[in-house]
Amino acid sequence: MDENDMILISVDDHIIEPPDMFKNHLPQKYAADAPRLIHTDDGADVWKFREVTVPNVALNAVAGRPKDEYGLEPEGLDEIRPGCYDVDQRVQDMNAGGVLASMNFPSFPGFAARLFATEDPDFSLALVRAYNDWHIDEWCGAYPGRFIPMALPVIWDAQACAAEVRRCADKGVHSLTFSENPAALGYPSFHDPYWNPLWQALVDTDTVCSVHIGSSGRLSVPAVDSPPDVMITLQPMNIVQAAADLLWSRPVKDYPDLKIALSEGGTGWIPYFLERIDRTYEMHSAWTLQDFGGKLPSEVFREHFLTCFISDPIGVRLRNEIGIDNISWEMDYPHSDSMWPDAPEVLHEVLRREQVPDDEIHKMTHLNAMRWYSFDPFQHVPREQATVGALRAAAADHDVSIQARSHKHTSAEDKLAAFQTQIKAATAHTAS
């Protein structure tokens, strides 16, 4: 298959939220207390909510910037591509990158929206609903067929979370972003029946629980003086803990139709993981009392879990050991792992080298995403206009050149020092 004939749906991209997102959706009585984007004296744009300040961390929005501008310092909206926060420009970036559709995780509220948990449950719920309505109606609604809509959870209340899943499902949403480890956030674990109303709502509405790496807020850093390369290396592997915790939990046994996505987790580790869980079951189930109804854990994994990859040559090579129906593709725009706008070329080279047949390419690049997330872009975009080649032709004049955008010229040494400071602060916070 030629790269221009591929159809790409990314199941993991990100939004840098625009400053006016609450304007049309938060009840007026809460408007004065809503999170707001403020411009600091050093030129950064940061979200401020009560006593919490959330910066735009530079690794979150580096699409189209030279690698020497990567770092961890806060940045202004004028230092990042408009496609990070402007939906019209995002679709142009998607076209230029050959991507038909995209699912976008949140940024400043956190993947589990814990930022919105306040002492006032009505206000907290209003914030979640306002975000979800903005995302569904304005961001996704602006371009039907181009975005897989996703809902934020009411992480602090299982019953309210279930109700929000049902409300959003009525608006066509079949993806919920959720924590990889709610216990790390101070809530009941996956093993607690507290979450049963949520699992039931997810099953009833055919909604996928999309568990993103890093969504527990914990950093996988062995030591406070570990270089940033350690954290970056370990990021895709963090999801292994969530996969194991969920696989051995009651929900996958009690809710046969429950669907879980391991977002931004990669795929190369999965064949060993499947061997390990089957071996664990064989050697220890007699005393741990695990029972999968006559099935192996690896079989149950394939019934419940969707995985995704950016290029991941090892995972592509071992695709049939993972399960060809359990793999989807992601671009990770505008994060630092993304290969936008050259993702089709990079992906195609991996697929060509591993001699992947066309039917399996279609599954990994778009069909699995459509099936798992109950998403049909072809209701809005004719298939012949959905290919990499057709989308790029529609954006032939769109500028995708690499451009320096930073107003500051921070040295690599200073960036490393800032990283160490953040790690120490985060480690101290976790320990407390």
Side-chain angles (χ1 to χ4, degrees):
M1 177 184 295
D2 184 84
E3 67 191 53
N4 288 316
D5 296 328
M6 294 192 302
I7 295 176
L8 300 181
I9 294 178
S10 171
V11 296
D12 174 52
D13 293 313
H14 301 265
I15 294 175
I16 302 298
E17 292 83 2
D20 61 350
M21 59 162 297
F22 288 106
K23 179 180 178 182
N24 299 321
H25 304 285
L26 192 66
Q28 186 60 38
K29 64 179 179 179
Y30 297 128
D33 295 323
R36 64 190 188 278
L37 194 70
I38 61 173
H39 194 68
T40 65
D41 292 339
D42 64 354
D45 289 304
V46 300
W47 281 93
K48 182 75 173 177
F49 182 49
R50 297 187 168 182
E51 302 305 314
V52 178
T53 299
V54 183
N56 277 325
V57 177
L59 288 177
N60 282 346
V62 296
R65 294 173 62 176
K67 291 181 180 179
D68 60 10
E69 285 195 355
Y70 290 15
L72 294 171
E73 71 277 6
E75 59 186 21
L77 291 183
D78 60 348
E79 296 179 273
I80 63 180
R81 282 191 71 84
C84 298
Y85 57 86
D86 181 288
V87 69
D88 299 317
Q89 289 296 311
R90 171 63 68 92
V91 169
Q92 286 296 305
D93 281 356
M94 289 164 60
N95 289 346
V99 175
L100 169 63
S102 167
M103 187 169 71
N104 296 160
F105 283 85
S107 290
F108 90 85
F111 295 123
R114 191 188 186 195
L115 178 68
F116 294 159
T118 74
E119 77 290 344
D120 181 347
D122 293 333
F123 179 37
S124 299
L125 181 59
L127 288 169
V128 169
R129 287 186 169 182
Y131 189 105
N132 286 340
D133 287 342
W134 164 78
H135 176 79
I136 299 163
D137 300 338
E138 293 193 36
W139 186 268
C140 299
Y143 292 88
R146 302 305 301 273
F147 296 100
I148 300 175
M150 164 179 281
L152 290 185
V154 185
I155 190 70
W156 53 89
D157 186 325
Q159 292 283 358
C161 195
E164 183 64 5
V165 166
R166 297 180 190 277
R167 186 185 78 89
C168 291
D170 288 341
K171 302 179 73 167
V173 179
H174 295 281
S175 178
L176 177 78
T177 173
F178 202 73
S179 174
E180 65 194 350
N181 182 4
L185 300 176
Y187 303 113
S189 76
F190 290 131
H191 310 282
D192 195 307
Y194 172 83
W195 296 110
N196 285 355
L198 173 60
W199 308 135
Q200 189 64 57
L202 292 171
V203 169
D204 289 346
T205 60
D206 199 21
T207 297
V208 180
C209 185
S210 299
V211 179
H212 197 284
I213 61 169
S215 51
S216 65
R218 287 190 172 176
L219 295 168
S220 289
V221 182
V224 295
D225 53 353
S226 296
D229 315 76
V230 175
M231 180 192 73
I232 296 168
T233 299
L234 292 176
Q235 278 178 340
M237 302 175 193
N238 293 343
I239 206 73
V240 178
Q241 297 182 56
D245 207 31
L246 282 159
L247 178 78
W248 297 108
S249 70
R250 289 302 316 173
V252 298
K253 303 179 182 72
D254 296 342
Y255 300 90
D257 296 323
L258 181 63
K259 297 193 294 188
I260 301 164
L262 303 176
S263 303
E264 204 173 324
T267 57
W269 54 273
I270 294 172
Y272 168 75
F273 179 82
L274 297 181
E275 289 183 351
R276 180 63 181 168
I277 58 178
D278 284 352
R279 175 69 171 167
T280 299
Y281 181 73
E282 175 190 353
M283 299 301 294
H284 299 283
S285 60
W287 72 271
T288 64
L289 305 181
Q290 288 286 344
D291 183 2
F292 290 99
K295 298 177 181 178
L296 289 172
S298 58
E299 296 177 275
V300 174
F301 179 91
R302 294 187 183 100
E303 292 173 353
H304 288 275
F305 290 88
L306 177 68
T307 66
C308 66
F309 73 103
I310 297 175
S311 63
D312 209 347
I314 293 297
V316 173
R317 185 177 308 159
L318 300 177
R319 61 194 179 277
N320 290 303
E321 295 184 34
I322 296 167
I324 195 64
D325 296 319
N326 299 78
I327 304 172
S328 55
W329 177 79
E330 62 159 304
M331 181 170 60
D332 199 27
Y333 177 104
H335 284 188
S336 56
D337 268 350
S338 177
M339 288 168 291
W340 179 91
D342 300 321
E345 288 80 6
V346 176
L347 174 62
H348 185 265
E349 174 56 24
V350 173
L351 298 173
R352 183 200 62 78
R353 192 167 63 245
E354 300 303 331
Q355 301 180 6
V356 182
D358 288 357
D359 62 323
E360 295 184 358
I361 291 176
H362 288 315
K363 285 187 176 185
M364 293 191 292
T365 57
H366 65 284
L367 292 180
N368 287 344
M370 291 171 57
R371 178 169 56 86
W372 279 75
Y373 286 105
S374 306
F375 175 69
D376 184 5
F378 303 124
Q379 290 183 353
H380 305 279
V381 182
R383 190 179 294 266
E384 64 272 13
Q385 297 177 21
T387 64
V388 170
L391 292 167
R392 282 180 161 170
D397 297 329
H398 190 60
D399 186 5
V400 296
S401 61
I402 301 296
Q403 299 178 26
R405 295 176 180 268
S406 179
H407 297 325
K408 295 174 288 186
H409 299 284
T410 309
S411 69
E413 291 77 13
D414 287 343
K415 289 180 182 179
L416 287 171
F419 171 83
Q420 299 290 357
T421 299
Q422 289 194 24
I423 291 298
K424 290 177 181 178
T427 303
H429 176 73
T430 302
S432 64

